[in-house]
Amino acid sequence: MPTRLKRSDRKGGKRFDRLSYADFRRMARDAKLSKYEKIGFPDHYRADYEKAIFRDILLKLPKLLAKRQVVLDIGPGCSDLPRMLIDLCRRQEHRLVLVDSMEMLDLLPEAPFLTKVSGKYPGNAKAIVRASRQYDVMLCYSVLHHVFVDGNIWSFLDRSLALLGAGGQMLIGDVPNVSKRRRFFSSDAGIAFHRSFMGTADDPTVRFNVATPGEIDDAAVLGLLLRARNAGVDAYLVPQAPDLPMANRREDLLLRKP
Ligand SMILES: C[S@@+](CC[C@H](N)C(=O)[O-])C[C@H]1O[C@@H](n2cnc3c(N)ncnc32)[C@H](O)[C@@H]1O
C-alpha cells in the first residue's frame, strides 16, 4: 500500500470524499484530471496497484476464468481495471455489459462482445435486462459507498440479486467500512501506519459512539449480508489481499447464488 501520503494530497484528499454519480459524470469530462482522478482516486492509490486489485478480483470471481460467461460490471470507471476486464472477456469469449454514465463509458474502448448501458444503476435495470436476463458474474468495485451517498443500497442489492443467475457470483468490492477503519486506527499497527503515512508524531483521531452520516459501517455491511442470505443467496464478508492500497479499512462482500 502507499507508504507515505504526498504533501499535496494531505490537503487535497478531501476533494475525493462523498462523490455522487453526478460528480463522476462531471469528473469524466474534466480533461485536467488523470484517469485515476476521474474515478475519485489520487494517482498513487491506483497507478501501481490495479494489477494486484485485478488478481484479487479473479480469486474471488473464479467464473471469470471459465469460458463463455455473461458478465456485468456496474460502475467500471475509466482506468486500467475495466480494460483488464475487457481483455479477459475477449480471451475467455465472455459477453460483457458495462453500466456507468455515458461520459465514463465513452472513455472505454468498444468491442463486438461488449454492450454499454448508460445511466444510474439500479434505475436503468430494464436496459440491463434487455442486454441479458441473467448474469453469471457481476462485479461492482469501489462503487457501493457512492450509492450509499446518493442512492438506495437496499434496492441496489435487491436488483442485483435478481440479475444474478443460478450458480452466479457477484463481488461488491472495495467497500470502505468506518467501523473497520476505527478498529484499525485504534490498534498499535494502525497508529504506526497513521504516523508513517501522514508524516506526523500525532495519533490518529478515532471517535466511537458517534453517528457517521453518509458512511458505511458494520451495521450496513452486515445488514446487506443478512438480506442477501434471507433472499436465498450465500453471502460472505471477505478481506482484501494485503497488498491492496486500502486493505486495512476496506472489505469485500461476496455473493454466490446456489
Ligand atoms: C470509484 S469509481 C470505481 C471505478 C471502477 N469500478 C474501479 O474500481 O476502478 C466509481 C464508478 O462508479 C460509477 N457509479 C457511481 N454510482 C453509480 C451508479 N449508481 N450507477 C452506475 N455507475 C455508478 C461512477 O461513475 C464511477 O465510474
mmCIF file of all heavy atoms in Angstrom, residues 19-21 24-25 38-41 46 50 53 57 73-82 99-101 104 119-122 124 139-143 145-147 150-151 156 174 250, ligand 1:
data_model
loop_
_atom_site.group_PDB
_atom_site.id
_atom_site.type_symbol
_atom_site.label_atom_id
_atom_site.label_comp_id
_atom_site.label_asym_id
_atom_site.label_seq_id
_atom_site.Cartn_x
_atom_site.Cartn_y
_atom_site.Cartn_z
ATOM 1 N N LEU A 19 -18.414 11.323 -3.176
ATOM 2 C CA LEU A 19 -18.718 11.683 -4.565
ATOM 3 C C LEU A 19 -20.033 11.043 -5.000
ATOM 4 O O LEU A 19 -20.294 9.878 -4.696
ATOM 5 C CB LEU A 19 -17.582 11.205 -5.480
ATOM 6 C CG LEU A 19 -16.236 11.897 -5.235
ATOM 7 C CD1 LEU A 19 -15.121 11.180 -5.996
ATOM 8 C CD2 LEU A 19 -16.310 13.360 -5.655
ATOM 9 N N SER A 20 -20.834 11.804 -5.723
ATOM 10 C CA SER A 20 -22.113 11.300 -6.225
ATOM 11 C C SER A 20 -21.945 10.881 -7.687
ATOM 12 O O SER A 20 -20.937 11.195 -8.339
ATOM 13 C CB SER A 20 -23.175 12.394 -6.126
ATOM 14 O OG SER A 20 -22.840 13.434 -7.024
ATOM 15 N N TYR A 21 -22.970 10.219 -8.208
ATOM 16 C CA TYR A 21 -22.990 9.836 -9.628
ATOM 17 C C TYR A 21 -22.776 11.075 -10.501
ATOM 18 O O TYR A 21 -22.001 11.047 -11.464
ATOM 19 C CB TYR A 21 -24.341 9.175 -9.909
ATOM 20 C CG TYR A 21 -24.564 8.762 -11.334
ATOM 21 C CD1 TYR A 21 -24.025 7.579 -11.828
ATOM 22 C CD2 TYR A 21 -25.337 9.548 -12.187
ATOM 23 C CE1 TYR A 21 -24.241 7.188 -13.145
ATOM 24 C CE2 TYR A 21 -25.566 9.166 -13.500
ATOM 25 C CZ TYR A 21 -25.005 7.985 -13.969
ATOM 26 O OH TYR A 21 -25.231 7.607 -15.281
ATOM 27 N N PHE A 24 -19.167 12.165 -10.635
ATOM 28 C CA PHE A 24 -18.350 11.346 -11.545
ATOM 29 C C PHE A 24 -18.582 11.723 -13.003
ATOM 30 O O PHE A 24 -17.649 11.717 -13.803
ATOM 31 C CB PHE A 24 -18.633 9.850 -11.331
ATOM 32 C CG PHE A 24 -17.977 9.286 -10.099
ATOM 33 C CD1 PHE A 24 -18.724 8.887 -9.003
ATOM 34 C CD2 PHE A 24 -16.596 9.152 -10.032
ATOM 35 C CE1 PHE A 24 -18.125 8.371 -7.864
ATOM 36 C CE2 PHE A 24 -15.980 8.630 -8.900
ATOM 37 C CZ PHE A 24 -16.750 8.241 -7.807
ATOM 38 N N ARG A 25 -19.828 12.054 -13.350
ATOM 39 C CA ARG A 25 -20.099 12.477 -14.747
ATOM 40 C C ARG A 25 -19.277 13.715 -15.078
ATOM 41 O O ARG A 25 -18.673 13.816 -16.138
ATOM 42 C CB ARG A 25 -21.584 12.840 -14.912
ATOM 43 C CG ARG A 25 -22.491 11.675 -14.866
ATOM 44 C CD ARG A 25 -23.921 12.090 -15.115
ATOM 45 N NE ARG A 25 -24.158 12.358 -16.521
ATOM 46 C CZ ARG A 25 -25.337 12.694 -17.016
ATOM 47 N NH1 ARG A 25 -26.376 12.802 -16.228
ATOM 48 N NH2 ARG A 25 -25.476 12.914 -18.298
ATOM 49 N N LYS A 38 -10.296 10.855 -12.294
ATOM 50 C CA LYS A 38 -11.669 10.851 -12.834
ATOM 51 C C LYS A 38 -12.553 9.866 -12.072
ATOM 52 O O LYS A 38 -13.767 10.042 -11.998
ATOM 53 C CB LYS A 38 -11.656 10.460 -14.320
ATOM 54 C CG LYS A 38 -11.195 11.558 -15.273
ATOM 55 C CD LYS A 38 -11.195 11.020 -16.703
ATOM 56 C CE LYS A 38 -10.456 11.908 -17.672
ATOM 57 N NZ LYS A 38 -11.151 13.153 -17.931
ATOM 58 N N ILE A 39 -11.947 8.781 -11.525
ATOM 59 C CA ILE A 39 -12.753 7.808 -10.765
ATOM 60 C C ILE A 39 -12.588 8.014 -9.250
ATOM 61 O O ILE A 39 -12.919 7.132 -8.452
ATOM 62 C CB ILE A 39 -12.434 6.345 -11.158
ATOM 63 C CG1 ILE A 39 -10.949 6.003 -10.941
ATOM 64 C CG2 ILE A 39 -12.862 6.086 -12.588
ATOM 65 C CD1 ILE A 39 -10.661 4.518 -10.886
ATOM 66 N N GLY A 40 -12.039 9.167 -8.868
ATOM 67 C CA GLY A 40 -12.067 9.530 -7.458
ATOM 68 C C GLY A 40 -10.877 9.101 -6.630
ATOM 69 O O GLY A 40 -10.965 9.096 -5.399
ATOM 70 N N PHE A 41 -9.773 8.734 -7.282
ATOM 71 C CA PHE A 41 -8.585 8.343 -6.516
ATOM 72 C C PHE A 41 -7.394 9.234 -6.850
ATOM 73 O O PHE A 41 -7.118 9.470 -8.035
ATOM 74 C CB PHE A 41 -8.168 6.904 -6.850
ATOM 75 C CG PHE A 41 -9.119 5.851 -6.351
ATOM 76 C CD1 PHE A 41 -10.017 5.242 -7.205
ATOM 77 C CD2 PHE A 41 -9.112 5.476 -5.013
ATOM 78 C CE1 PHE A 41 -10.900 4.272 -6.747
ATOM 79 C CE2 PHE A 41 -9.988 4.505 -4.538
ATOM 80 C CZ PHE A 41 -10.885 3.908 -5.414
ATOM 81 N N ARG A 46 -3.795 4.210 -7.030
ATOM 82 C CA ARG A 46 -4.197 3.259 -8.052
ATOM 83 C C ARG A 46 -3.091 2.933 -9.053
ATOM 84 O O ARG A 46 -3.010 1.798 -9.513
ATOM 85 C CB ARG A 46 -5.415 3.799 -8.813
ATOM 86 C CG ARG A 46 -6.765 3.497 -8.142
ATOM 87 C CD ARG A 46 -6.963 1.993 -8.021
ATOM 88 N NE ARG A 46 -8.250 1.629 -7.464
ATOM 89 C CZ ARG A 46 -9.320 1.309 -8.190
ATOM 90 N NH1 ARG A 46 -9.265 1.325 -9.499
ATOM 91 N NH2 ARG A 46 -10.447 0.968 -7.588
ATOM 92 N N GLU A 50 -3.344 -1.558 -9.750
ATOM 93 C CA GLU A 50 -4.532 -2.130 -10.401
ATOM 94 C C GLU A 50 -4.334 -3.588 -10.817
ATOM 95 O O GLU A 50 -5.286 -4.356 -10.820
ATOM 96 C CB GLU A 50 -4.988 -1.234 -11.560
ATOM 97 C CG GLU A 50 -5.540 0.085 -11.018
ATOM 98 C CD GLU A 50 -6.442 0.851 -11.959
ATOM 99 O OE1 GLU A 50 -6.262 0.720 -13.184
ATOM 100 O OE2 GLU A 50 -7.314 1.585 -11.461
ATOM 101 N N ILE A 53 -5.119 -5.483 -7.722
ATOM 102 C CA ILE A 53 -6.573 -5.444 -7.492
ATOM 103 C C ILE A 53 -7.261 -6.462 -8.404
ATOM 104 O O ILE A 53 -8.126 -7.231 -7.976
ATOM 105 C CB ILE A 53 -7.129 -4.019 -7.746
ATOM 106 C CG1 ILE A 53 -6.593 -3.041 -6.689
ATOM 107 C CG2 ILE A 53 -8.656 -4.013 -7.762
ATOM 108 C CD1 ILE A 53 -6.921 -1.583 -6.962
ATOM 109 N N ILE A 57 -9.582 -9.735 -7.528
ATOM 110 C CA ILE A 57 -10.937 -9.914 -8.082
ATOM 111 C C ILE A 57 -11.066 -11.312 -8.709
ATOM 112 O O ILE A 57 -12.059 -12.012 -8.495
ATOM 113 C CB ILE A 57 -11.239 -8.807 -9.127
ATOM 114 C CG1 ILE A 57 -11.393 -7.451 -8.426
ATOM 115 C CG2 ILE A 57 -12.492 -9.144 -9.939
ATOM 116 C CD1 ILE A 57 -11.516 -6.257 -9.379
ATOM 117 N N ASP A 73 -20.459 -5.472 -15.255
ATOM 118 C CA ASP A 73 -19.645 -4.615 -14.379
ATOM 119 C C ASP A 73 -20.431 -3.330 -14.140
ATOM 120 O O ASP A 73 -20.678 -2.552 -15.064
ATOM 121 C CB ASP A 73 -18.287 -4.316 -15.032
ATOM 122 C CG ASP A 73 -17.339 -3.552 -14.096
ATOM 123 O OD1 ASP A 73 -17.807 -3.068 -13.034
ATOM 124 O OD2 ASP A 73 -16.142 -3.423 -14.426
ATOM 125 N N ILE A 74 -20.808 -3.109 -12.884
ATOM 126 C CA ILE A 74 -21.579 -1.911 -12.520
ATOM 127 C C ILE A 74 -20.587 -0.858 -12.032
ATOM 128 O O ILE A 74 -19.917 -1.049 -11.018
ATOM 129 C CB ILE A 74 -22.596 -2.241 -11.402
ATOM 130 C CG1 ILE A 74 -23.541 -3.354 -11.852
ATOM 131 C CG2 ILE A 74 -23.377 -0.980 -10.998
ATOM 132 C CD1 ILE A 74 -24.296 -4.017 -10.705
ATOM 133 N N GLY A 75 -20.482 0.247 -12.752
ATOM 134 C CA GLY A 75 -19.559 1.317 -12.369
ATOM 135 C C GLY A 75 -18.110 0.986 -12.699
ATOM 136 O O GLY A 75 -17.246 1.049 -11.808
ATOM 137 N N PRO A 76 -17.797 0.650 -13.955
ATOM 138 C CA PRO A 76 -16.415 0.262 -14.295
ATOM 139 C C PRO A 76 -15.420 1.411 -14.237
ATOM 140 O O PRO A 76 -14.213 1.172 -14.131
ATOM 141 C CB PRO A 76 -16.543 -0.252 -15.734
ATOM 142 C CG PRO A 76 -17.750 0.436 -16.292
ATOM 143 C CD PRO A 76 -18.688 0.577 -15.128
ATOM 144 N N GLY A 77 -15.902 2.668 -14.338
ATOM 145 C CA GLY A 77 -14.956 3.786 -14.373
ATOM 146 C C GLY A 77 -14.173 3.788 -15.672
ATOM 147 O O GLY A 77 -14.622 3.234 -16.695
ATOM 148 N N CYS A 78 -12.954 4.348 -15.642
ATOM 149 C CA CYS A 78 -12.230 4.540 -16.911
ATOM 150 C C CYS A 78 -10.730 4.317 -16.771
ATOM 151 O O CYS A 78 -9.959 4.765 -17.604
ATOM 152 C CB CYS A 78 -12.477 5.967 -17.410
ATOM 153 S SG CYS A 78 -11.851 7.208 -16.263
ATOM 154 N N SER A 79 -10.301 3.631 -15.687
ATOM 155 C CA SER A 79 -8.844 3.436 -15.536
ATOM 156 C C SER A 79 -8.455 2.108 -16.200
ATOM 157 O O SER A 79 -9.135 1.648 -17.114
ATOM 158 C CB SER A 79 -8.467 3.465 -14.052
ATOM 159 O OG SER A 79 -9.007 2.333 -13.414
ATOM 160 N N ASP A 80 -7.373 1.474 -15.770
ATOM 161 C CA ASP A 80 -6.924 0.236 -16.431
ATOM 162 C C ASP A 80 -7.721 -0.997 -15.999
ATOM 163 O O ASP A 80 -7.700 -2.016 -16.686
ATOM 164 C CB ASP A 80 -5.431 0.010 -16.167
ATOM 165 C CG ASP A 80 -4.607 1.084 -16.858
ATOM 166 O OD1 ASP A 80 -5.056 1.581 -17.908
ATOM 167 O OD2 ASP A 80 -3.542 1.453 -16.330
ATOM 168 N N LEU A 81 -8.400 -0.904 -14.840
ATOM 169 C CA LEU A 81 -9.145 -2.067 -14.341
ATOM 170 C C LEU A 81 -10.197 -2.551 -15.345
ATOM 171 O O LEU A 81 -10.211 -3.742 -15.696
ATOM 172 C CB LEU A 81 -9.783 -1.701 -12.999
ATOM 173 C CG LEU A 81 -9.912 -2.779 -11.937
ATOM 174 C CD1 LEU A 81 -8.630 -3.521 -11.693
ATOM 175 C CD2 LEU A 81 -10.440 -2.163 -10.647
ATOM 176 N N PRO A 82 -11.093 -1.674 -15.855
ATOM 177 C CA PRO A 82 -12.063 -2.171 -16.844
ATOM 178 C C PRO A 82 -11.396 -2.638 -18.135
ATOM 179 O O PRO A 82 -11.900 -3.554 -18.794
ATOM 180 C CB PRO A 82 -12.978 -0.968 -17.098
ATOM 181 C CG PRO A 82 -12.236 0.222 -16.599
ATOM 182 C CD PRO A 82 -11.360 -0.271 -15.486
ATOM 183 N N VAL A 99 -21.964 -0.831 -17.121
ATOM 184 C CA VAL A 99 -23.007 0.121 -16.727
ATOM 185 C C VAL A 99 -22.379 1.303 -16.001
ATOM 186 O O VAL A 99 -21.790 1.138 -14.924
ATOM 187 C CB VAL A 99 -24.023 -0.560 -15.772
ATOM 188 C CG1 VAL A 99 -25.097 0.437 -15.353
ATOM 189 C CG2 VAL A 99 -24.652 -1.761 -16.420
ATOM 190 N N ASP A 100 -22.481 2.459 -16.596
ATOM 191 C CA ASP A 100 -21.936 3.665 -15.945
ATOM 192 C C ASP A 100 -22.551 4.860 -16.675
ATOM 193 O O ASP A 100 -23.400 4.676 -17.567
ATOM 194 C CB ASP A 100 -20.390 3.669 -16.036
ATOM 195 C CG ASP A 100 -19.729 4.410 -14.877
ATOM 196 O OD1 ASP A 100 -20.154 5.538 -14.564
ATOM 197 O OD2 ASP A 100 -18.772 3.874 -14.297
ATOM 198 N N SER A 101 -22.137 6.065 -16.325
ATOM 199 C CA SER A 101 -22.627 7.226 -17.080
ATOM 200 C C SER A 101 -22.044 7.160 -18.492
ATOM 201 O O SER A 101 -20.957 6.583 -18.705
ATOM 202 C CB SER A 101 -22.197 8.524 -16.402
ATOM 203 O OG SER A 101 -20.791 8.644 -16.464
ATOM 204 N N MET A 104 -18.527 8.424 -18.708
ATOM 205 C CA MET A 104 -17.478 7.495 -18.268
ATOM 206 C C MET A 104 -17.301 6.389 -19.323
ATOM 207 O O MET A 104 -16.173 6.056 -19.704
ATOM 208 C CB MET A 104 -17.896 6.901 -16.917
ATOM 209 C CG MET A 104 -16.812 6.415 -16.027
ATOM 210 S SD MET A 104 -15.520 7.600 -15.599
ATOM 211 C CE MET A 104 -16.109 8.291 -14.064
ATOM 212 N N GLY A 119 -26.397 5.232 -17.603
ATOM 213 C CA GLY A 119 -27.409 5.620 -16.623
ATOM 214 C C GLY A 119 -27.066 5.137 -15.231
ATOM 215 O O GLY A 119 -26.155 4.330 -15.034
ATOM 216 N N LYS A 120 -27.855 5.653 -14.296
ATOM 217 C CA LYS A 120 -27.584 5.380 -12.879
ATOM 218 C C LYS A 120 -28.265 4.074 -12.456
ATOM 219 O O LYS A 120 -29.488 3.947 -12.565
ATOM 220 C CB LYS A 120 -28.127 6.565 -12.068
ATOM 221 C CG LYS A 120 -27.785 6.540 -10.618
ATOM 222 C CD LYS A 120 -28.224 7.850 -9.968
ATOM 223 C CE LYS A 120 -28.099 7.770 -8.474
ATOM 224 N NZ LYS A 120 -28.582 8.977 -7.815
ATOM 225 N N TYR A 121 -27.469 3.140 -11.994
ATOM 226 C CA TYR A 121 -27.967 1.851 -11.518
ATOM 227 C C TYR A 121 -28.517 2.023 -10.090
ATOM 228 O O TYR A 121 -27.921 2.761 -9.309
ATOM 229 C CB TYR A 121 -26.807 0.847 -11.524
ATOM 230 C CG TYR A 121 -27.179 -0.535 -11.102
ATOM 231 C CD1 TYR A 121 -27.758 -1.416 -11.986
ATOM 232 C CD2 TYR A 121 -26.968 -0.957 -9.787
ATOM 233 C CE1 TYR A 121 -28.116 -2.701 -11.595
ATOM 234 C CE2 TYR A 121 -27.323 -2.232 -9.388
ATOM 235 C CZ TYR A 121 -27.891 -3.096 -10.296
ATOM 236 O OH TYR A 121 -28.244 -4.356 -9.905
ATOM 237 N N PRO A 122 -29.619 1.359 -9.698
ATOM 238 C CA PRO A 122 -30.372 0.371 -10.448
ATOM 239 C C PRO A 122 -31.536 0.934 -11.267
ATOM 240 O O PRO A 122 -32.322 0.163 -11.814
ATOM 241 C CB PRO A 122 -30.892 -0.554 -9.350
ATOM 242 C CG PRO A 122 -31.094 0.332 -8.170
ATOM 243 C CD PRO A 122 -30.040 1.399 -8.266
ATOM 244 N N ASN A 124 -31.627 2.005 -14.118
ATOM 245 C CA ASN A 124 -31.559 1.612 -15.535
ATOM 246 C C ASN A 124 -31.598 0.079 -15.702
ATOM 247 O O ASN A 124 -31.136 -0.451 -16.710
ATOM 248 C CB ASN A 124 -30.287 2.182 -16.168
ATOM 249 C CG ASN A 124 -29.032 1.703 -15.447
ATOM 250 O OD1 ASN A 124 -29.125 1.026 -14.426
ATOM 251 N ND2 ASN A 124 -27.870 2.028 -15.982
ATOM 252 N N LEU A 139 -19.707 -7.734 -11.170
ATOM 253 C CA LEU A 139 -18.656 -7.016 -10.439
ATOM 254 C C LEU A 139 -19.138 -5.599 -10.178
ATOM 255 O O LEU A 139 -19.697 -4.948 -11.066
ATOM 256 C CB LEU A 139 -17.379 -6.987 -11.287
ATOM 257 C CG LEU A 139 -16.214 -6.168 -10.734
ATOM 258 C CD1 LEU A 139 -15.702 -6.760 -9.419
ATOM 259 C CD2 LEU A 139 -15.064 -6.120 -11.747
ATOM 260 N N CYS A 140 -18.927 -5.146 -8.956
ATOM 261 C CA CYS A 140 -19.266 -3.765 -8.623
ATOM 262 C C CYS A 140 -18.174 -3.319 -7.656
ATOM 263 O O CYS A 140 -18.240 -3.599 -6.457
ATOM 264 C CB CYS A 140 -20.649 -3.728 -7.979
ATOM 265 S SG CYS A 140 -21.124 -2.067 -7.514
ATOM 266 N N TYR A 141 -17.133 -2.705 -8.190
ATOM 267 C CA TYR A 141 -15.920 -2.483 -7.407
ATOM 268 C C TYR A 141 -15.752 -1.011 -7.071
ATOM 269 O O TYR A 141 -15.722 -0.157 -7.956
ATOM 270 C CB TYR A 141 -14.693 -2.988 -8.191
ATOM 271 C CG TYR A 141 -13.525 -3.298 -7.291
ATOM 272 C CD1 TYR A 141 -13.448 -4.512 -6.624
ATOM 273 C CD2 TYR A 141 -12.528 -2.352 -7.072
ATOM 274 C CE1 TYR A 141 -12.391 -4.797 -5.771
ATOM 275 C CE2 TYR A 141 -11.468 -2.635 -6.219
ATOM 276 C CZ TYR A 141 -11.409 -3.864 -5.576
ATOM 277 O OH TYR A 141 -10.361 -4.133 -4.722
ATOM 278 N N SER A 142 -15.693 -0.737 -5.774
ATOM 279 C CA SER A 142 -15.465 0.635 -5.299
ATOM 280 C C SER A 142 -16.612 1.569 -5.705
ATOM 281 O O SER A 142 -16.375 2.721 -6.077
ATOM 282 C CB SER A 142 -14.127 1.151 -5.866
ATOM 283 O OG SER A 142 -13.508 1.996 -4.941
ATOM 284 N N VAL A 143 -17.820 1.067 -5.623
ATOM 285 C CA VAL A 143 -18.994 1.829 -6.057
ATOM 286 C C VAL A 143 -20.028 1.962 -4.926
ATOM 287 O O VAL A 143 -20.706 2.994 -4.813
ATOM 288 C CB VAL A 143 -19.660 1.156 -7.291
ATOM 289 C CG1 VAL A 143 -20.914 1.902 -7.722
ATOM 290 C CG2 VAL A 143 -18.677 1.062 -8.464
ATOM 291 N N HIS A 145 -20.167 2.675 -1.812
ATOM 292 C CA HIS A 145 -20.194 3.846 -0.918
ATOM 293 C C HIS A 145 -20.718 5.086 -1.642
ATOM 294 O O HIS A 145 -21.189 6.019 -1.002
ATOM 295 C CB HIS A 145 -18.836 4.105 -0.265
ATOM 296 C CG HIS A 145 -17.656 4.099 -1.185
ATOM 297 N ND1 HIS A 145 -17.321 3.012 -1.958
ATOM 298 C CD2 HIS A 145 -16.713 5.032 -1.456
ATOM 299 C CE1 HIS A 145 -16.228 3.271 -2.644
ATOM 300 N NE2 HIS A 145 -15.844 4.506 -2.372
ATOM 301 N N HIS A 146 -20.623 5.088 -2.986
ATOM 302 C CA HIS A 146 -21.195 6.217 -3.725
ATOM 303 C C HIS A 146 -22.714 6.047 -3.843
ATOM 304 O O HIS A 146 -23.449 7.020 -3.768
ATOM 305 C CB HIS A 146 -20.512 6.341 -5.085
ATOM 306 C CG HIS A 146 -19.024 6.497 -4.962
ATOM 307 N ND1 HIS A 146 -18.454 7.601 -4.340
ATOM 308 C CD2 HIS A 146 -17.991 5.685 -5.300
ATOM 309 C CE1 HIS A 146 -17.134 7.452 -4.331
ATOM 310 N NE2 HIS A 146 -16.833 6.305 -4.898
ATOM 311 N N VAL A 147 -23.152 4.801 -3.979
ATOM 312 C CA VAL A 147 -24.602 4.541 -3.966
ATOM 313 C C VAL A 147 -25.154 4.915 -2.586
ATOM 314 O O VAL A 147 -26.257 5.458 -2.473
ATOM 315 C CB VAL A 147 -24.887 3.053 -4.292
ATOM 316 C CG1 VAL A 147 -26.372 2.750 -4.198
ATOM 317 C CG2 VAL A 147 -24.347 2.687 -5.671
ATOM 318 N N ASP A 150 -25.872 8.721 -2.593
ATOM 319 C CA ASP A 150 -26.961 9.345 -3.367
ATOM 320 C C ASP A 150 -27.918 8.342 -3.992
ATOM 321 O O ASP A 150 -28.549 8.624 -4.993
ATOM 322 C CB ASP A 150 -26.399 10.287 -4.443
ATOM 323 C CG ASP A 150 -25.784 9.529 -5.614
ATOM 324 O OD1 ASP A 150 -25.501 8.331 -5.467
ATOM 325 O OD2 ASP A 150 -25.612 10.144 -6.670
ATOM 326 N N GLY A 151 -28.012 7.155 -3.382
ATOM 327 C CA GLY A 151 -28.953 6.158 -3.896
ATOM 328 C C GLY A 151 -29.539 5.365 -2.745
ATOM 329 O O GLY A 151 -29.619 5.860 -1.613
ATOM 330 N N PHE A 156 -30.457 -1.387 -4.558
ATOM 331 C CA PHE A 156 -29.237 -1.794 -5.287
ATOM 332 C C PHE A 156 -29.017 -3.304 -5.099
ATOM 333 O O PHE A 156 -28.806 -4.047 -6.059
ATOM 334 C CB PHE A 156 -28.046 -0.992 -4.751
ATOM 335 C CG PHE A 156 -26.714 -1.422 -5.286
ATOM 336 C CD1 PHE A 156 -26.148 -0.788 -6.379
ATOM 337 C CD2 PHE A 156 -26.023 -2.474 -4.704
ATOM 338 C CE1 PHE A 156 -24.925 -1.198 -6.886
ATOM 339 C CE2 PHE A 156 -24.808 -2.896 -5.198
ATOM 340 C CZ PHE A 156 -24.252 -2.258 -6.292
ATOM 341 N N ASP A 174 -14.311 -3.531 -2.459
ATOM 342 C CA ASP A 174 -13.683 -2.275 -2.056
ATOM 343 C C ASP A 174 -14.664 -1.365 -1.315
ATOM 344 O O ASP A 174 -14.803 -0.188 -1.649
ATOM 345 C CB ASP A 174 -13.113 -1.562 -3.291
ATOM 346 C CG ASP A 174 -11.924 -0.673 -2.933
ATOM 347 O OD1 ASP A 174 -11.188 -1.030 -1.988
ATOM 348 O OD2 ASP A 174 -11.729 0.364 -3.589
ATOM 349 N N ARG A 250 -10.913 -1.340 4.160
ATOM 350 C CA ARG A 250 -11.977 -1.722 3.222
ATOM 351 C C ARG A 250 -12.129 -3.235 3.224
ATOM 352 O O ARG A 250 -11.200 -3.956 3.589
ATOM 353 C CB ARG A 250 -11.664 -1.220 1.818
ATOM 354 C CG ARG A 250 -11.659 0.296 1.760
ATOM 355 C CD ARG A 250 -11.666 0.822 0.356
ATOM 356 N NE ARG A 250 -11.788 2.279 0.369
ATOM 357 C CZ ARG A 250 -12.113 3.024 -0.668
ATOM 358 N NH1 ARG A 250 -12.348 2.458 -1.834
ATOM 359 N NH2 ARG A 250 -12.220 4.336 -0.563
HETATM 360 C C1 LIG B 1 -14.741 4.945 -7.553
HETATM 361 S S1 LIG B 1 -15.206 4.676 -9.221
HETATM 362 C C2 LIG B 1 -14.772 2.960 -9.391
HETATM 363 C C3 LIG B 1 -14.463 2.574 -10.809
HETATM 364 C C4 LIG B 1 -14.023 1.109 -11.006
HETATM 365 N N1 LIG B 1 -15.017 0.175 -10.580
HETATM 366 C C5 LIG B 1 -12.729 0.884 -10.300
HETATM 367 O O1 LIG B 1 -12.737 0.379 -9.158
HETATM 368 O O2 LIG B 1 -11.680 1.202 -10.877
HETATM 369 C C6 LIG B 1 -16.971 4.632 -9.142
HETATM 370 C C7 LIG B 1 -17.610 4.454 -10.515
HETATM 371 O O3 LIG B 1 -18.975 4.085 -10.340
HETATM 372 C C8 LIG B 1 -19.792 4.894 -11.144
HETATM 373 N N2 LIG B 1 -21.082 5.000 -10.442
HETATM 374 C C9 LIG B 1 -21.330 5.577 -9.244
HETATM 375 N N3 LIG B 1 -22.616 5.399 -8.898
HETATM 376 C C10 LIG B 1 -23.175 4.687 -9.916
HETATM 377 C C11 LIG B 1 -24.492 4.195 -10.160
HETATM 378 N N4 LIG B 1 -25.484 4.378 -9.281
HETATM 379 N N5 LIG B 1 -24.727 3.529 -11.311
HETATM 380 C C12 LIG B 1 -23.727 3.316 -12.218
HETATM 381 N N6 LIG B 1 -22.461 3.760 -12.044
HETATM 382 C C13 LIG B 1 -22.203 4.434 -10.899
HETATM 383 C C14 LIG B 1 -19.040 6.200 -11.284
HETATM 384 O O4 LIG B 1 -19.453 6.919 -12.426
HETATM 385 C C15 LIG B 1 -17.606 5.709 -11.361
HETATM 386 O O5 LIG B 1 -17.244 5.387 -12.681
#
